[in-house]
PDB file of all heavy atoms in Angstrom:
ATOM      1  N   GLY A 352       2.180   8.664  -9.716  1.00 86.00           N
ATOM      2  CA  GLY A 352       1.026   7.964  -9.095  1.00 86.00           C
ATOM      3  C   GLY A 352       0.120   8.841  -8.291  1.00 86.00           C
ATOM      4  O   GLY A 352      -1.005   8.369  -7.892  1.00 86.00           O
ATOM      5  N   ILE A 353       0.508  10.069  -8.004  1.00 89.00           N
ATOM      6  CA  ILE A 353      -0.384  10.991  -7.103  1.00 89.00           C
ATOM      7  C   ILE A 353      -1.188  11.951  -7.966  1.00 89.00           C
ATOM      8  O   ILE A 353      -2.080  12.659  -7.543  1.00 89.00           O
ATOM      9  CB  ILE A 353       0.351  11.648  -6.024  1.00 89.00           C
ATOM     10  CG1 ILE A 353      -0.483  12.161  -4.887  1.00 89.00           C
ATOM     11  CG2 ILE A 353       1.202  12.773  -6.706  1.00 89.00           C
ATOM     12  CD1 ILE A 353      -1.214  11.066  -4.125  1.00 89.00           C
ATOM     13  N   ASP A 354      -0.849  12.043  -9.313  1.00 92.00           N
ATOM     14  CA  ASP A 354      -1.495  13.067 -10.131  1.00 92.00           C
ATOM     15  C   ASP A 354      -2.352  12.443 -11.124  1.00 92.00           C
ATOM     16  O   ASP A 354      -1.912  11.794 -12.157  1.00 92.00           O
ATOM     17  CB  ASP A 354      -0.379  13.820 -10.846  1.00 92.00           C
ATOM     18  CG  ASP A 354      -0.813  15.035 -11.565  1.00 92.00           C
ATOM     19  OD1 ASP A 354      -2.000  15.013 -12.033  1.00 92.00           O
ATOM     20  OD2 ASP A 354      -0.113  16.037 -11.711  1.00 92.00           O
ATOM     21  N   LYS A 355      -3.720  12.453 -10.978  1.00 93.00           N
ATOM     22  CA  LYS A 355      -4.667  11.787 -11.719  1.00 93.00           C
ATOM     23  C   LYS A 355      -4.789  12.375 -13.148  1.00 93.00           C
ATOM     24  O   LYS A 355      -5.059  11.626 -14.063  1.00 93.00           O
ATOM     25  CB  LYS A 355      -6.011  11.784 -10.999  1.00 93.00           C
ATOM     26  CG  LYS A 355      -6.111  10.942  -9.776  1.00 93.00           C
ATOM     27  CD  LYS A 355      -7.504  10.920  -9.162  1.00 93.00           C
ATOM     28  CE  LYS A 355      -7.724  10.004  -8.089  1.00 93.00           C
ATOM     29  NZ  LYS A 355      -6.859  10.283  -6.966  1.00 93.00           N
ATOM     30  N   VAL A 356      -4.533  13.659 -13.317  1.00 94.00           N
ATOM     31  CA  VAL A 356      -4.554  14.220 -14.588  1.00 94.00           C
ATOM     32  C   VAL A 356      -3.388  13.710 -15.453  1.00 94.00           C
ATOM     33  O   VAL A 356      -3.507  13.332 -16.534  1.00 94.00           O
ATOM     34  CB  VAL A 356      -4.559  15.853 -14.514  1.00 94.00           C
ATOM     35  CG1 VAL A 356      -4.504  16.432 -15.930  1.00 94.00           C
ATOM     36  CG2 VAL A 356      -5.732  16.295 -13.729  1.00 94.00           C
ATOM     37  N   LEU A 357      -2.197  13.781 -14.888  1.00 93.00           N
ATOM     38  CA  LEU A 357      -0.994  13.319 -15.525  1.00 93.00           C
ATOM     39  C   LEU A 357      -1.108  11.778 -15.835  1.00 93.00           C
ATOM     40  O   LEU A 357      -0.743  11.387 -16.863  1.00 93.00           O
ATOM     41  CB  LEU A 357       0.226  13.637 -14.709  1.00 93.00           C
ATOM     42  CG  LEU A 357       1.603  13.084 -15.280  1.00 93.00           C
ATOM     43  CD1 LEU A 357       1.834  13.817 -16.691  1.00 93.00           C
ATOM     44  CD2 LEU A 357       2.716  13.486 -14.279  1.00 93.00           C
ATOM     45  N   GLN A 358      -1.630  11.079 -14.868  1.00 93.00           N
ATOM     46  CA  GLN A 358      -1.856   9.653 -15.055  1.00 93.00           C
ATOM     47  C   GLN A 358      -2.660   9.381 -16.295  1.00 93.00           C
ATOM     48  O   GLN A 358      -2.342   8.484 -17.136  1.00 93.00           O
ATOM     49  CB  GLN A 358      -2.615   9.066 -13.846  1.00 93.00           C
ATOM     50  CG  GLN A 358      -1.809   8.883 -12.610  1.00 93.00           C
ATOM     51  CD  GLN A 358      -2.736   8.468 -11.529  1.00 93.00           C
ATOM     52  OE1 GLN A 358      -3.912   8.184 -11.655  1.00 93.00           O
ATOM     53  NE2 GLN A 358      -2.206   8.499 -10.230  1.00 93.00           N
ATOM     54  N   ASN A 359      -3.857  10.023 -16.475  1.00 94.00           N
ATOM     55  CA  ASN A 359      -4.703   9.846 -17.629  1.00 94.00           C
ATOM     56  C   ASN A 359      -3.930  10.030 -18.954  1.00 94.00           C
ATOM     57  O   ASN A 359      -4.108   9.261 -19.863  1.00 94.00           O
ATOM     58  CB  ASN A 359      -5.893  10.706 -17.525  1.00 94.00           C
ATOM     59  CG  ASN A 359      -7.074  10.123 -16.652  1.00 94.00           C
ATOM     60  OD1 ASN A 359      -6.887   9.054 -16.169  1.00 94.00           O
ATOM     61  ND2 ASN A 359      -8.101  10.905 -16.608  1.00 94.00           N
ATOM     62  N   GLU A 360      -3.144  11.074 -18.963  1.00 94.00           N
ATOM     63  CA  GLU A 360      -2.427  11.450 -20.201  1.00 94.00           C
ATOM     64  C   GLU A 360      -1.351  10.452 -20.511  1.00 94.00           C
ATOM     65  O   GLU A 360      -1.239   9.985 -21.614  1.00 94.00           O
ATOM     66  CB  GLU A 360      -1.759  12.756 -20.060  1.00 94.00           C
ATOM     67  CG  GLU A 360      -2.852  13.941 -19.891  1.00 94.00           C
ATOM     68  CD  GLU A 360      -2.230  15.278 -19.560  1.00 94.00           C
ATOM     69  OE1 GLU A 360      -1.103  15.340 -19.172  1.00 94.00           O
ATOM     70  OE2 GLU A 360      -3.017  16.318 -19.647  1.00 94.00           O
ATOM     71  N   MET A 361      -0.630   9.965 -19.446  1.00 94.00           N
ATOM     72  CA  MET A 361       0.396   9.025 -19.620  1.00 94.00           C
ATOM     73  C   MET A 361      -0.042   7.599 -20.023  1.00 94.00           C
ATOM     74  O   MET A 361       0.569   6.874 -20.761  1.00 94.00           O
ATOM     75  CB  MET A 361       1.360   8.960 -18.465  1.00 94.00           C
ATOM     76  CG  MET A 361       2.142  10.263 -18.269  1.00 94.00           C
ATOM     77  SD  MET A 361       3.397  10.204 -16.918  1.00 94.00           S
ATOM     78  CE  MET A 361       4.565   9.114 -17.747  1.00 94.00           C
ATOM     79  N   ILE A 362      -1.196   7.292 -19.311  1.00 95.00           N
ATOM     80  CA  ILE A 362      -1.814   5.882 -19.611  1.00 95.00           C
ATOM     81  C   ILE A 362      -2.280   5.920 -21.100  1.00 95.00           C
ATOM     82  O   ILE A 362      -2.126   4.851 -21.771  1.00 95.00           O
ATOM     83  CB  ILE A 362      -2.953   5.631 -18.682  1.00 95.00           C
ATOM     84  CG1 ILE A 362      -2.534   5.334 -17.263  1.00 95.00           C
ATOM     85  CG2 ILE A 362      -3.834   4.398 -19.179  1.00 95.00           C
ATOM     86  CD1 ILE A 362      -3.621   5.264 -16.212  1.00 95.00           C
ATOM     87  N   ALA A 363      -2.855   7.055 -21.560  1.00 95.00           N
ATOM     88  CA  ALA A 363      -3.286   7.089 -22.995  1.00 95.00           C
ATOM     89  C   ALA A 363      -2.104   6.889 -23.901  1.00 95.00           C
ATOM     90  O   ALA A 363      -2.184   6.244 -25.008  1.00 95.00           O
ATOM     91  CB  ALA A 363      -4.034   8.349 -23.215  1.00 95.00           C
ATOM     92  N   LEU A 364      -1.001   7.585 -23.544  1.00 95.00           N
ATOM     93  CA  LEU A 364       0.287   7.352 -24.376  1.00 95.00           C
ATOM     94  C   LEU A 364       0.746   5.918 -24.340  1.00 95.00           C
ATOM     95  O   LEU A 364       1.234   5.451 -25.354  1.00 95.00           O
ATOM     96  CB  LEU A 364       1.385   8.344 -23.926  1.00 95.00           C
ATOM     97  CG  LEU A 364       1.118   9.780 -24.096  1.00 95.00           C
ATOM     98  CD1 LEU A 364       2.269  10.596 -23.479  1.00 95.00           C
ATOM     99  CD2 LEU A 364       1.161  10.083 -25.672  1.00 95.00           C
ATOM    100  N   ALA A 365       0.595   5.280 -23.173  1.00 94.00           N
ATOM    101  CA  ALA A 365       1.167   3.909 -22.956  1.00 94.00           C
ATOM    102  C   ALA A 365       0.268   2.907 -23.767  1.00 94.00           C
ATOM    103  O   ALA A 365       0.866   2.009 -24.463  1.00 94.00           O
ATOM    104  CB  ALA A 365       1.252   3.524 -21.523  1.00 94.00           C
ATOM    105  N   ASN A 366      -0.948   2.986 -23.658  1.00 94.00           N
ATOM    106  CA  ASN A 366      -1.836   1.850 -24.185  1.00 94.00           C
ATOM    107  C   ASN A 366      -2.840   2.357 -25.289  1.00 94.00           C
ATOM    108  O   ASN A 366      -3.620   1.498 -25.673  1.00 94.00           O
ATOM    109  CB  ASN A 366      -2.561   1.009 -23.108  1.00 94.00           C
ATOM    110  CG  ASN A 366      -3.720   1.878 -22.393  1.00 94.00           C
ATOM    111  OD1 ASN A 366      -3.872   3.092 -22.722  1.00 94.00           O
ATOM    112  ND2 ASN A 366      -4.323   1.294 -21.474  1.00 94.00           N
ATOM    113  N   GLY A 367      -2.848   3.659 -25.539  1.00 94.00           N
ATOM    114  CA  GLY A 367      -3.782   4.157 -26.594  1.00 94.00           C
ATOM    115  C   GLY A 367      -5.152   4.328 -26.239  1.00 94.00           C
ATOM    116  O   GLY A 367      -5.967   4.557 -27.083  1.00 94.00           O
ATOM    117  N   GLN A 368      -5.520   4.168 -24.935  1.00 94.00           N
ATOM    118  CA  GLN A 368      -6.911   4.321 -24.567  1.00 94.00           C
ATOM    119  C   GLN A 368      -7.477   5.694 -24.788  1.00 94.00           C
ATOM    120  O   GLN A 368      -6.675   6.625 -24.709  1.00 94.00           O
ATOM    121  CB  GLN A 368      -7.110   3.805 -23.164  1.00 94.00           C
ATOM    122  CG  GLN A 368      -6.703   4.805 -22.063  1.00 94.00           C
ATOM    123  CD  GLN A 368      -6.920   4.284 -20.643  1.00 94.00           C
ATOM    124  OE1 GLN A 368      -6.954   3.057 -20.453  1.00 94.00           O
ATOM    125  NE2 GLN A 368      -7.158   5.165 -19.738  1.00 94.00           N
ATOM    126  N   LYS A 369      -8.764   5.787 -25.069  1.00 92.00           N
ATOM    127  CA  LYS A 369      -9.361   7.002 -25.208  1.00 92.00           C
ATOM    128  C   LYS A 369     -10.468   7.199 -24.170  1.00 92.00           C
ATOM    129  O   LYS A 369     -11.520   6.390 -24.192  1.00 92.00           O
ATOM    130  CB  LYS A 369     -10.019   7.202 -26.635  1.00 92.00           C
ATOM    131  CG  LYS A 369      -8.861   7.246 -27.742  1.00 92.00           C
ATOM    132  CD  LYS A 369      -9.509   7.328 -29.101  1.00 92.00           C
ATOM    133  CE  LYS A 369      -8.402   7.504 -30.159  1.00 92.00           C
ATOM    134  NZ  LYS A 369      -7.329   6.503 -30.195  1.00 92.00           N
TER     135      LYS A 369
END
Side-chain angles (χ1 to χ4, degrees):
I353 200 64
D354 188 331
K355 291 181 173 63
V356 178
L357 179 60
Q358 286 170 11
N359 274 359
E360 295 170 349
M361 293 188 69
I362 290 172
L364 288 173
N366 69 358
Q368 73 179 31
K369 292 179 173 59

